[in-house]
Amino acid sequence: MPILTFKGGVHPPEKKHFTKDKPFEKLPLPDFVYLFTTNHLGAPAKPIVKEGDQVKTGQLVAEATGSISANIHSSVTGEVVGIESFINVSTGRKDNAIVIKRSSEDVWEYIEHNENFKKFPKEEVINIVKKAGIVGLGGAMFPSHVKLSVPENKKVEYLIINGAECEPYITVDDMMMREYTEEIIKGIKIIEYVVNPQKIYVGIEENKPEAIKIMENALKKENIEVAILKTKYPQGAEKQLIQAITKREVPSGGLPIDAGVLVFNVSTTYAIYDAVINGKPLVERGITLSGGVKKPGNYWFRIGTKVSDLLNHVELVEEEKIDRIIYGGPMMGLPLPNVDLPTFKGNNAITVLTKEELPQKHEYPCIRCASCVKACPIGLQPYYLKKLADARKNDIAQENGIMDCIECGACSYICPSNIELVKTFKTTKKVIKAIQRRRV
């Protein structure tokens, strides 16, 4: 079996040893949850509960609005005590969150489901996924029912289940494949039933030998192949995963389906299984808590739990040793302004980075070494885009592909002058999008 990969990329220290062999533990139910109405890509969900309402675990509390949106469900049994506004780091702005005070252990409200999912028409399976509020759990949070609704003029030739997990520290998907193998395979079969692909792959980086062995053994009698990927960042990004496995490229500005491909994260696949087979809406998920903590591990937690509650369980190292705390991993993660903020559906990790791991670096002028060009997985010229962005030549930056940047941070990581290239690109892309909205 060849080791598959893509052009470009970097190989930062993996740091997965903290948690790679830590089985899942269930965290205690929180006393309060704070459910963002923007818990997904697209339009905010509309609250359908009010202060004083009693809700069950799994009960719908906010409905999807518009073509791209997702339902929100209570992740505990309790009372709605109000709606508060918090910084939502995933959107970069203040968003409303439904606040629920837990009153007891779980009393579940399930959605329609059936162990024999093929009794449902394909459209009904998609509707169950929609009812369950499932979104991409690798971080993108794109509503899964939208992805499953393949346009009539498109065909799914390849279905790829993304178990690459290339970010340092994070091991939640690795452990999902090792502990919930059969459930993930059932989730794959549900997706297969809906989209009817010609070929199915499970992509796993070679630094996960246990997951590779377990999945290969479980899939021997299935028409599903494990694709072993080179350990390289950002191997788990959709476009790079597709390129590595199928040798196809997603067109600029396009989606994977434009290349005949659908990609679902391992944890998303499990969530689809849990909804269709067990009737559970998306109210909990796995997370890796690692870095500068005393009890690093992989945990199940309820969506909407405050970060501070999660960290209290794993216990931080001494405060003076901590540099920053981030949602996600160190390459694409989002720094927290404070730990008293809610989690959301896309939280696959909370990583505590210490000052020892993040020494202060002085930024020097660009030396035109082209290290960033070699590392860019999209094939852009980051040093040139930075020059254009700094000069506010946004139109020329667009012509040179700045909107295709996936913000992986590989260019910043490899830069010998310590230039924070990706920060500039993120800001410039936001400016360009704002200008485009005003022109419409």
Side-chain angles (χ1 to χ4, degrees):
M1 171 67 71
I3 306 300
L4 307 174
T5 193
F6 62 96
K7 292 181 180 179
V10 294
H11 189 178
E14 295 172 28
K15 303 282 187 177
K16 294 180 185 283
H17 62 279
F18 294 108
T19 60
K20 76 178 185 68
D21 293 316
K22 296 289 181 71
F24 278 104
E25 296 180 37
K26 273 192 175 289
L27 291 178
L29 294 176
D31 292 328
F32 289 87
V33 292
Y34 305 79
L35 302 168
F36 281 122
T37 55
T38 305
N39 228 302
H40 46 268
L41 188 70
K46 180 181 178 181
I48 60 170
V49 291
K50 61 183 184 303
E51 188 174 341
D53 284 354
Q54 302 297 315
V55 294
K56 297 177 182 178
T57 305
Q59 182 176 329
L60 185 67
V61 295
E63 287 182 326
T65 59
S67 57
I68 300 179
S69 187
N71 288 339
I72 311 294
H73 303 80
S74 176
S75 52
V76 294
T77 297
E79 179 183 347
V80 177
V81 295
I83 294 179
E84 295 183 22
S85 181
F86 293 90
I87 290 290
N88 185 340
V89 179
S90 70
T91 64
R93 61 175 184 267
K94 277 196 169 185
D95 283 331
N96 288 330
I98 299 167
V99 185
I100 300 171
K101 181 181 180 181
R102 185 173 67 86
S103 59
S104 69
E105 296 301 302
D106 287 325
V107 179
W108 279 91
E109 182 169 302
Y110 298 101
I111 57 177
E112 184 182 11
H113 60 285
N114 196 314
E115 176 74 27
N116 184 1
F117 60 86
K118 291 186 179 180
K119 286 187 175 181
F120 292 119
K122 294 179 181 182
E123 294 75 15
E124 182 56 27
V125 174
I126 295 173
N127 196 39
I128 290 170
V129 172
K130 180 178 181 180
K131 287 179 181 177
I134 297 171
V135 302
L137 298 182
M141 297 195 293
F142 188 82
S144 297
H145 69 277
V146 179
K147 189 181 286 190
L148 287 170
S149 302
V150 179
E152 290 184 4
N153 63 334
K154 302 289 184 180
K155 186 174 182 179
V156 181
E157 296 177 64
Y158 297 97
L159 169 62
I160 299 176
I161 306 303
N162 187 352
E165 199 166 50
C166 57
E167 270 268 14
Y169 289 97
I170 306 175
T171 58
V172 62
D173 285 343
D174 182 7
M175 194 53 65
M176 286 291 295
M177 289 185 286
R178 291 157 66 182
E179 287 200 35
Y180 298 96
T181 313
E182 292 304 319
E183 292 87 343
I184 289 168
I185 292 172
K186 287 181 181 177
I188 296 172
K189 288 180 173 296
I190 292 168
I191 299 170
E192 179 185 22
Y193 170 64
V194 173
V195 303
N196 192 30
Q198 293 178 7
K199 183 65 180 175
I200 306 173
Y201 292 97
V202 179
I204 310 174
E205 280 193 323
E206 60 182 330
N207 65 350
K208 303 171 181 63
E210 296 90 350
I212 290 171
K213 183 178 179 180
I214 289 170
M215 292 299 292
E216 283 184 333
N217 287 338
L219 294 171
K220 280 181 178 178
K221 296 181 181 180
E222 306 291 346
N223 186 31
I224 303 170
E225 184 178 333
V226 173
I228 302 174
L229 307 164
K230 185 174 180 178
T231 302
K232 186 168 66 168
Y233 176 86
Q235 185 67 81
E238 274 193 337
K239 291 181 179 181
Q240 283 61 55
L241 190 65
I242 291 168
Q243 186 183 60
I245 294 176
T246 71
K247 307 307 177 189
R248 295 186 178 187
E249 288 192 10
V250 177
S252 177
L255 297 170
I257 191 60
D258 297 320
V261 186
L262 280 186
V263 180
F264 285 88
N265 170 266
V266 163
S267 293
T268 311
T269 305
Y270 176 88
I272 289 172
Y273 151 83
D274 212 17
V276 177
I277 303 299
N278 299 324
K280 284 189 175 183
L282 180 57
V283 299
E284 62 181 346
R285 66 157 298 162
I287 191 170
T288 298
L289 304 176
S290 191
V293 299
K294 296 178 181 178
K295 295 187 287 185
N298 299 299
Y299 298 91
W300 284 102
F301 80 102
R302 295 300 170 90
I303 293 163
T305 303
K306 280 191 174 180
V307 173
S308 54
D309 288 341
L310 300 181
L311 295 178
N312 285 341
H313 184 81
V314 296
E315 300 178 28
L316 294 172
V317 298
E318 291 83 354
E319 188 174 340
E320 63 271 11
K321 294 182 179 179
I322 297 172
D323 184 276
R324 71 190 69 167
I325 300 171
I326 56 179
Y327 288 115
M331 295 300 289
M332 290 188 76
L334 304 168
L336 277 78
N338 67 77
V339 297
D340 200 33
L341 292 175
T343 52
F344 43 88
K345 291 180 180 181
N347 280 148
N348 61 351
I350 301 291
T351 308
V352 179
L353 298 177
T354 63
K355 293 175 182 176
E356 183 181 355
E357 292 173 280
L358 290 173
Q360 296 298 313
K361 294 181 179 179
H362 181 75
E363 184 175 311
Y364 297 94
C366 174
I367 59 173
R368 300 291 181 91
C369 66
S371 293
C372 60
V373 178
K374 294 176 185 175
C376 179
I378 302 296
L380 304 177
Q381 299 183 74
Y383 76 93
Y384 182 52
L385 291 175
K386 176 76 162 65
K387 181 179 179 180
L388 294 172
D390 288 345
R392 298 184 181 180
K393 296 180 178 180
N394 294 341
D395 289 344
I396 302 176
Q398 274 188 271
E399 292 171 6
N400 282 271
I402 196 168
M403 300 308 290
D404 290 325
C405 170
I406 61 172
E407 302 174 15
C408 66
C411 55
S412 299
Y413 175 81
I414 205 70
C415 179
S417 294
N418 303 320
I419 300 171
E420 292 284 1
L421 295 153
V422 75
K423 284 187 178 180
T424 301
F425 302 155
K426 285 181 179 181
T427 302
T428 302
K429 287 170 68 178
K430 286 179 181 178
V431 170
I432 290 171
K433 288 176 182 177
I435 292 171
Q436 289 174 340
R437 284 195 297 268
R438 285 201 296 268
R439 287 174 178 171
V440 173

